[in-house]
Amino acid sequence: WQDSLTGPLDRLCLLRAIRVDALERAIHIFVREQLGHDLEDPAAPPLQTTVRALSHVTPVIFLLAGGVDPEAELLSTARELQVELKSLALGPGRAEKATQL
């Protein structure tokens, strides 16, 4: 059966089917070996750069991992740069409020 797995992506698919617990580590290895170290852990731009780019027509959406909350640092940076910032946590039932912002 190993001869039928023609590449690393095939092996990931098999691993997904039989060992979901090992998949995350295997994906990190796949990305590093196939795409390079640059994509394995992308660096976020400095928060000041992000805040300076904000405008009333340029919203910023943060996609966060569990347990990560950059809101305090974001609001502090906005105050330092004298930028008015409105924040909204998205989720069910929040579309109308988001549209108003």
Side-chain angles (χ1 to χ4, degrees):
W1 63 271
Q2 288 183 343
D3 293 337
S4 65
L5 299 176
T6 59
L9 189 57
D10 292 334
R11 288 189 286 277
L12 276 180
C13 291
L14 178 62
L15 191 60
R16 167 69 172 89
I18 61 174
R19 287 285 311 270
V20 176
D21 61 307
L23 189 60
E24 184 176 350
R25 175 84 176 119
I27 289 172
H28 282 283
I29 293 169
F30 173 83
V31 169
R32 184 177 58 243
E33 290 177 354
Q34 300 300 313
L35 305 174
H37 291 281
D38 297 344
L39 297 176
E40 186 178 9
D41 189 20
L47 201 49
Q48 288 188 346
T49 302
T50 302
V51 171
R52 284 190 181 111
L54 297 175
S55 77
H56 68 285
V57 294
T58 309
V60 173
I61 298 174
F62 289 90
L63 302 177
L64 306 173
V68 176
D69 186 6
E71 186 172 17
E73 184 181 354
L74 181 62
L75 294 173
S76 173
T77 302
R79 275 192 300 276
E80 288 174 17
L81 298 174
Q82 299 178 343
V83 173
E84 181 184 352
L85 183 67
K86 295 181 182 180
S87 175
L88 174 69
L90 298 177
R94 303 304 299 247
E96 185 177 332
K97 179 75 174 170
T99 303
Q100 292 172 359
L101 283 177

